[in-house]
């Protein structure tokens, strides 16, 4: 055991960094605006009853650590974070212009366009002979065009839509089984004049979040838990699970 300053109180803040465990030479990238980070130790205890004592009790007990988890809450729901923890992929589509996207319009319903965030919209009949009026015949929404019941577009008619759309990001969830991560907490002890603390979680298999905020009156979060697995590449005598390094 080493001798450390006493007493030592901890109130942590800092940044969390991550990379794919299978790519140790890859750069560590930041998981921005992480609200909390915890390590949860899992213990298994066996007890032997004191059968000689009429009042009962425990004669002996053995305990061992059977595992450990990390748990953290992320507020930065950027496409890379979403894809990483939803076991999916993220892709970027550059903005462009569509000249004649074909759809069928129904009164009182939304026409979903192929791209999000359309501007400079022009809606014509399928034979391109009639140009419809924005506001009266259709209303622009982020995901497409709402066709009001009073629209001069015939109910069930085919239309051509021309529009410009911005660069957008698409996350496709649940495409694989996820992958193992290496986590690094680069922190400060706010209870000790900002002294430095580093925590390395060498090999973590994260579960997907149990819930994803799509509509709510609170800021969205990803609540992530991950199992700490043994990293057998660690040097002899050092933890294969996590290591904490502090500066006093």
């Amino acid at each position: 055991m080493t001798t450390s300053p006493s007493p030592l109180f901890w109130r942590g803040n800092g940044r969390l960094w991550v990379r794919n465990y299978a790519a140790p030479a890859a750069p560590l990238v930041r998981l921005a605006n992480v609200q909390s980070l915890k390590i949860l130790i899992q213990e298994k205890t066996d007890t032997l009853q004191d059968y000689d004592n009429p009042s009962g009790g425990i004669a002996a007990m053995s305990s061992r650590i059977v595992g450990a988890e990390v748990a953290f809450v992320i507020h930065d729901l950027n496409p890379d974070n979403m894809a990483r923890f939803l076991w999916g992929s993220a892709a970027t589509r550059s903005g462009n212009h569509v000249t004649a996207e074909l759809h069928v319009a129904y009164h009182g319903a939304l026409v979903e366009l192929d791209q999000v965030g359309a501007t400079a919209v022009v809606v014509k009949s399928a034979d391109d002979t009639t140009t419809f009026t924005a506001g009266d015949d259709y209303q622009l929404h982020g995901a497409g065009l709402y066709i009001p019941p009073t629209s001069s577009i015939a109910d069930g008619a085919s239309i051509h839509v021309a529009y410009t759309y911005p660069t957008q990001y698409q996350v496709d969830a649940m495409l694989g089984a996820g992958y193992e991560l290496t986590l690094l907490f680069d922190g400060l002890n706010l209870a000790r004049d900002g002294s430095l603390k580093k925590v390395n979680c060498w090999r973590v298999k994260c579960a997907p979040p149990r819930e994803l905020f799509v509509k709510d009156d609170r800021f969205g979060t990803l609540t992530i838990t991950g199992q700490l697995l043994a990293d057998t590449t660690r040097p002899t005598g050092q933890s294969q699970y996590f290591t904490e390094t502090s500066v006093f």
Side-chain angles (χ1 to χ4, degrees):
M1 296 288 291
T2 60
T3 301
S4 61
S6 182
L8 177 60
F9 304 106
W10 170 253
R11 184 183 179 191
N13 200 350
R15 296 180 176 181
L16 185 61
W17 304 81
V18 64
R19 70 170 160 234
N20 190 338
Y21 172 76
L28 288 160
V29 296
R30 182 183 170 196
L31 299 181
N33 213 352
V34 175
Q35 175 181 322
S36 61
L37 171 65
K38 297 183 289 186
I39 297 177
L40 311 172
I41 307 298
Q42 301 158 336
E43 179 192 21
K44 180 179 179 181
T45 301
D46 293 317
T47 59
L48 175 64
Q49 294 290 313
D50 186 350
Y51 296 104
D52 293 335
N53 187 343
S55 299
I58 297 175
M61 181 178 72
S62 67
S63 298
R64 66 191 302 264
I65 294 175
V66 295
E69 287 185 341
V70 294
F72 50 96
V73 178
I74 307 173
H75 285 279
D76 183 3
L77 307 188
N78 67 61
D80 287 338
N81 282 347
M82 296 286 282
R84 179 180 290 115
F85 296 110
L86 294 176
W87 297 5
S89 66
T92 302
R93 291 201 301 267
S94 298
N96 209 331
H97 184 74
V98 177
T99 56
E101 195 171 282
L102 181 63
H103 293 280
V104 177
Y106 294 97
H107 288 180
L110 185 76
V111 174
E112 180 188 3
L113 298 179
D114 292 344
Q115 311 296 335
V116 176
T119 58
V121 175
V122 177
V123 180
K124 294 184 177 183
S125 56
D127 59 7
D128 294 328
T129 61
T130 303
T131 300
F132 298 104
T133 303
D136 295 331
D137 296 322
Y138 62 89
Q139 298 167 9
L140 180 61
H141 288 227
L145 308 175
Y146 172 71
I147 310 300
T150 56
S151 173
S152 64
I153 301 173
D155 193 33
S158 294
I159 57 174
H160 277 161
V161 185
Y163 60 95
T164 299
Y165 63 89
T167 297
Q168 48 202 259
Y169 307 91
Q170 179 170 315
V171 174
D172 287 285
M174 299 168 61
L175 295 179
Y179 50 87
E180 296 171 3
L181 302 174
T182 295
L183 300 179
L184 167 64
F185 173 69
D186 179 17
L188 301 172
N189 188 351
L190 303 182
R192 195 176 179 84
D193 299 324
S195 60
L196 302 177
K197 180 189 288 286
K198 182 179 73 167
V199 178
N200 296 91
C201 296
W202 302 113
R203 182 183 171 207
V204 182
K205 181 61 181 288
C206 291
R210 291 183 57 85
E211 61 181 8
L212 178 65
F213 289 82
V214 176
K215 180 180 178 180
D216 202 277
D217 59 0
R218 296 166 292 175
F219 285 104
T221 60
L222 290 177
T223 300
I224 306 298
T225 58
Q227 191 73 40
L228 284 168
L229 306 178
D231 179 2
T232 58
T233 67
R234 298 296 303 156
T236 301
Q238 296 186 17
S239 173
Q240 296 181 352
Y241 297 95
F242 73 93
T243 301
E244 176 187 302
T245 307
S246 301
V247 176
F248 299 118

